[in-house]
Amino acid sequence: MKKLANDIYCFDGEWIPCARTGRLLTGLPDSAPDAEVYKAMWKRAGATPEKPRPFLKLAASRVVSISAVHRHKNPDGTLALEIKSFPKVASPLILEREIIETFLESVACKGGQMVGFNSQSADLPLLIQRGIATRCHCPNFGRRPDKPWQGSDYFHRFSEAHFDLANFFTAGAGHGSAVMPSLHEIATASHLPGKLDLSGANVVDLWENGRFADITGYNETDACTTYLLWLRMVWFLGLITQRECKTEVTQFRTLLEREAQVRPHLARFLNAWQSVMDLGSRDKAGECPTIATVKARSIQPARKLITLITAGKPYTANGGRVLSNSSTRVIVIRRDQLDECTLSRLEKHLVPADGGKFYFCRMGYDPEGQLVAGKDHFGRFLLIPVHAADPEAVKMALNSHPIAAVDEWPTGDAA
């Protein structure tokens, strides 16, 4: 990869055997149940007791979901990140043609760059073959420029309009089993979330059991993993700076925190991310830290009171002491006044202070996913303002000041 497009789609597709195609290929009648058709298709593809579900030809598959992390660069240089799914929730009521058309044309209309994992051998050929089979009309996706710099060419083998991370990771050595990692393997090695509790082999069972939201959830977490691996790659290649990488990781964590309120699978993804980062930090116990990690102290169930040190502008503290200003507050709140959801969010923002008190601090994540206290360029904590000593004010502060990027990250020397 030599340059980054203004619109990048780190995508992943999910598919199952196409029962309609299967009936035609196996000669089974229309009355045959889908499950029977699937078995016949796998048998036709060489099923064995050891491998009862062999890989089916892409043309005999049916696309049920496409998810992507859409990275858009605004004219002022700022980034907008969004997790999109086509459709929003997988459903047998949505035509396969609509899924493929909507995704490919959405990407092509923006001249977007498609990034996948093993997508050159699977996802993209699947979308093209099934697009043909279902009579898709994708004129923008199919438009091929006369010269490479005149537009995106999604069909040219060496065009960066489509970039396969798996090809990059093999460094041209091919897709041999000894060289090519799976998405889960390279993500785990990178201390990133890989497969959680599902895999691609489960999708057909989820579909048969009507668990359509779980298919979309699985699809979205794979897209998130693909995006994080892409971010590691562009940092590796020097296409973004360290500061840009830190800011983008934090922005993505903020997006996940927000979306996790309505997408439980993203909450599981966040938890898995933190778990693998904790493991990674233990592996590096003997190394000199480049970034100081500040763990928020957990709120113990037996603790009755939570004492928060907060401030108004400039929201700073220095040397473990709150700066003297008229907006400084020390607030004592009973634990039982806050619901569990608020407590779980609150504890991420607590930094221990003297006297059993806590700084109620703006937090962020370093590039390795560790939670750290935000500081300004003077090394002072960025405190969250609370203008009234009551639980509702705490909730409002949490909603107004989500986990976000900070101007400076504490360094090992500062720690």
Side-chain angles (χ1 to χ4, degrees), residues 162-184:
H162 168 242
F163 191 90
D164 187 346
L165 287 172
N167 285 339
F168 173 79
F169 290 136
T170 61
H175 284 54
S177 59
V179 177
M180 168 100 170
S182 67
L183 179 65
H184 179 70

Side-chain angles (χ1 to χ4, degrees), residues 11 17 20 30 34 89 103 108 163 166 169 194 198 229 234 239 246 261 263 265 282 303 321 329 348 352 356 384 388:
F11 79 106
R20 179 183 63 83
D30 291 344
D34 286 356
V89 178
F103 174 67
F163 191 90
F169 290 136
L198 296 171
L229 285 172
V234 295
L239 296 176
K246 291 176 181 178
Q261 304 298 319
R263 298 178 179 180
H265 53 278
R282 290 198 296 271
R303 186 180 294 277
R321 300 176 60 188
R329 291 177 179 272
K348 297 176 183 177
I384 296 177

Side-chain angles (χ1 to χ4, degrees), residues 258-298:
R258 183 176 69 247
E259 292 298 324
Q261 304 298 319
V262 293
R263 298 178 179 180
H265 53 278
L266 295 182
R268 294 196 299 273
F269 185 88
L270 274 170
N271 290 335
W273 193 357
Q274 189 60 53
S275 295
V276 294
M277 291 317 308
D278 289 343
L279 178 61
S281 64
R282 290 198 296 271
D283 290 343
K284 295 181 284 186
E287 299 179 12
C288 293
T290 56
I291 295 181
T293 58
V294 181
K295 293 287 184 181
R297 184 185 299 174
S298 298

Side-chain angles (χ1 to χ4, degrees), residues 147-161:
K147 299 178 181 178
W149 57 87
Q150 293 179 339
S152 299
D153 189 341
Y154 299 100
F155 292 86
H156 195 289
R157 182 177 180 182
F158 301 108
S159 170
E160 292 196 346

Side-chain angles (χ1 to χ4, degrees), residues 81-83 220 253-267 270:
L81 298 176
E82 185 179 3
I83 301 171
E220 289 183 349
R253 293 295 298 244
T254 302
L255 170 65
L256 292 175
E257 288 273 358
R258 183 176 69 247
E259 292 298 324
Q261 304 298 319
V262 293
R263 298 178 179 180
H265 53 278
L266 295 182
L270 274 170

Side-chain angles (χ1 to χ4, degrees), residues 182-349:
S182 67
L183 179 65
H184 179 70
E185 288 168 339
I186 187 63
T188 302
S190 305
H191 296 131
L192 297 172
K195 305 290 182 181
L196 301 182
D197 49 358
L198 296 171
S199 70
N202 302 125
V203 173
V204 65
D205 297 314
L206 296 175
W207 183 266
E208 286 293 284
N209 291 315
R211 295 172 57 186
F212 306 121
D214 288 339
I215 293 176
T216 302
Y218 166 66
N219 199 183
E220 289 183 349
T221 55
D222 266 8
C224 289
T225 299
T226 301
Y227 163 75
L228 290 173
L229 285 172
W230 169 86
L231 193 58
R232 287 286 185 93
M233 183 199 70
V234 295
W235 160 250
F236 175 85
L237 294 175
L239 296 176
I240 59 174
T241 65
Q242 183 179 33
R243 186 181 182 87
E244 289 170 336
C245 185
K246 291 176 181 178
T247 301
E248 191 161 344
V249 168
T250 303
Q251 186 174 348
F252 189 58
R253 293 295 298 244
T254 302
L255 170 65
L256 292 175
E257 288 273 358
R258 183 176 69 247
E259 292 298 324
Q261 304 298 319
V262 293
R263 298 178 179 180
H265 53 278
L266 295 182
R268 294 196 299 273
F269 185 88
L270 274 170
N271 290 335
W273 193 357
Q274 189 60 53
S275 295
V276 294
M277 291 317 308
D278 289 343
L279 178 61
S281 64
R282 290 198 296 271
D283 290 343
K284 295 181 284 186
E287 299 179 12
C288 293
T290 56
I291 295 181
T293 58
V294 181
K295 293 287 184 181
R297 184 185 299 174
S298 298
I299 302 174
Q300 300 299 326
R303 186 180 294 277
K304 300 287 186 179
L305 303 176
I306 304 169
T307 304
L308 307 176
I309 301 175
T310 69
K313 291 182 179 180
Y315 316 148
T316 55
N318 190 17
R321 300 176 60 188
V322 178
L323 290 177
S324 176
N325 64 60
S326 60
S327 299
T328 298
R329 291 177 179 272
V330 176
I331 301 172
V332 179
I333 297 176
R334 287 183 59 85
R335 187 182 188 281
D336 56 14
Q337 290 178 291
L338 299 174
D339 57 78
E340 290 300 321
C341 180
T342 301
L343 280 172
S344 65
R345 293 183 60 203
L346 173 63
E347 66 178 344
K348 297 176 183 177
H349 292 264

